[in-house]
Amino acid sequence: MKNVKHAKCVKCGKIYEAVPNLTSCSCGGILDIVYDYDYIRTVLTKEKLAARRDNSMWRYRELLPVEETTENTPLRVGWSPLYEADTLAKQLGIKKLYVKDDGINPTASLKDRASAMAVAKAREAGAEVIACSSTGNAASSLAGNAAAAGLRTYIFVPSRAPKGKVAQLMTFGATVISVQGSYEETFELSKAAIDRWGWYNRNAAINPYLSEGKKTVSLEIMEQLGWEVPDYIAISVGDGCTIAGLWKGLKDLYAIGFIDKLPRLISAQAEGCCPLNRAIETGGDWKPMEENTLADSIAVGVPRNADKALMAIRESNGLVVNVSDEEIMAAQKLLGRTCGVFGEPAGVTGAAGLKKLCGEGKIPADATVVSVVTGNGLKDVANAIAACGEPISIPGDMDRLLRAFEENGIVVE
Ligand SMILES: *Cc1c(COP(=O)(O)O)cnc(C)c1O
Ligand SMILES: [Zn+2]
């Protein structure tokens, strides 16, 4: 890889050669991939990108840690739409709002970006089996992307994972282990199994390439905005790999001179599980929390990418905001009704956090904000119905329809 120098531990600074099956540092710290930006400047220009027909995350290969000979993964991951959400911007009292709908990815979450990267690196490592533990979306995205590439998967999910995600896993033919316990226990079991059988490891805590895949979300946002940097980007946070990746992409673009400033990040977590935001608020280290929220994808009591995530929030002079499950459900409704975007609870937590900050007067009225929707609502229909209610249910009869309209106060013009 001519564009990659090496991997470096974010804790102790130790340097490692960037081999495909990199794990974490001997000190326990996570590694970060370090690029040769001088080289990248010579091979990538905005014009070259603009002319590129590949509308997937692989359009940014010069900024990704893969060998030149590595094939693009088969599913079309990335290049999700960035919608102008003018109605919602007005409601929130800000100048401009964009909604990046990453729920339209092949397995319906932003995690596809990391899983496609994992599949590419597993192929480079010559692996035939990939494994991970996940709250659900990392699992389904790995299972789908691996199936398309002809690789087998072993997947560990906590038993609370919503049915939609489990259905994806079963459809993609993964060997699924549903662990009767917390995400923390699920993670520990997957780790022990991976150590025992030597599978390729797609745990974001361990594999430093995953946040490099996830960073393509911010590369896209910036290209879609014509390299005009927004004031804020709001996103939901669990393990912390996503927000760390988002920040890495922005810093890459800054380093190669594609953008001239950096936005502030908005880290949104659930009130019932916000160990990273609490660390920022208290200025101290993070401490484990219960996993007490309906936003299952970000119910992570022991965040595995804490160092990278906290660094990203702090470096960006970011804001943190914790939202209740009620506020998350309200945001599901709001995005659905003003944007036609259907997010799962964790998918809309960034928007819920943005709404809360706007209500508290913490976002200036002239701000431009991007809110990333990280997962699709169809993955968890039970919570969507809980948030938005049941439909009118009647027999197929006009009289009953008229009566139902009357009873529900619906005036038809
Ligand atoms: C995984 C996930 C997140 C958070 O990503 P982390 O890397 O765990 O912080 C947010 N939303 C959805 C839908 C996810 O699946
Ligand atoms: Zn180290």
Side-chain angles (χ1 to χ4, degrees), residues 108-111 134-138 165 183 204 214 235-244 268-269 276 296-300 303 305 309 344-349 372-376 379:
S109 83
L110 187 150
K111 294 285 195 301
S134 156
T135 54
N137 285 333
K165 299 177 186 180
Y183 175 57
K214 286 182 173 181
I235 197 152
S236 53
V237 175
D239 252 332
C241 175
T242 305
I243 196 165
Q269 292 205 285
L276 292 174
D296 62 287
S297 307
I298 52 166
V300 180
N305 270 263
E344 66 167 278
V348 305
T349 300
V372 183
V373 173
T374 49
N376 192 289
K379 286 171 170 279

Side-chain angles (χ1 to χ4, degrees), residues 9 11-14 25-29:
C9 174
K11 219 172 194 169
C12 74
K14 191 169 170 190
C25 180
S26 50
C27 83

Side-chain angles (χ1 to χ4, degrees), residues 366-377:
D366 63 354
T368 296
V369 185
V370 176
S371 180
V372 183
V373 173
T374 49
N376 192 289

